[in-house]
Amino acid sequence: MTSDAGARRDAVVRTDENIVLRASAGTGKTTVLVERMAVLLLRDRLDPEQLVAITFTEMAAAEMKTRLRR
């Protein structure tokens, strides 16, 4: 069994496969998704048009865009 921190780190840096991130409110999903997108774009040189992230609220989507732009 991996720790929560280990699972989060794996979700960010192991970009060789797609992931589904499912967790309760306030657990850091947005942070993990934004960090993973940054790794995909900067380290793995993914074209931004190849990136898909799905969230259930417009507020979460706006927050991800804001954080990623930073």
Side-chain angles (χ1 to χ4, degrees), residues 37-48:
M37 287 187 276
V39 167
L40 287 164
L41 295 169
L42 300 173
R43 185 193 75 190
D44 297 351
R45 304 281 189 208
L46 185 72
D47 183 329

Side-chain angles (χ1 to χ4, degrees), residues 3-63:
S3 69
D4 286 344
R8 285 187 197 117
R9 183 178 53 251
D10 284 350
V12 170
V13 300
R14 291 201 53 216
T15 59
D16 56 328
E17 57 188 26
N18 296 328
I19 65 166
V20 172
L21 187 60
R22 183 180 60 207
S24 301
T27 58
K29 292 181 301 294
T30 300
T31 298
V32 169
L33 288 171
V34 168
E35 289 176 3
R36 181 180 174 90
M37 287 187 276
V39 167
L40 287 164
L41 295 169
L42 300 173
R43 185 193 75 190
D44 297 351
R45 304 281 189 208
L46 185 72
D47 183 329
E49 293 194 14
Q50 294 176 297
L51 185 63
V52 175
I54 299 171
T55 185
F56 289 102
T57 67
E58 289 183 22
M59 187 170 88
E63 180 65 21

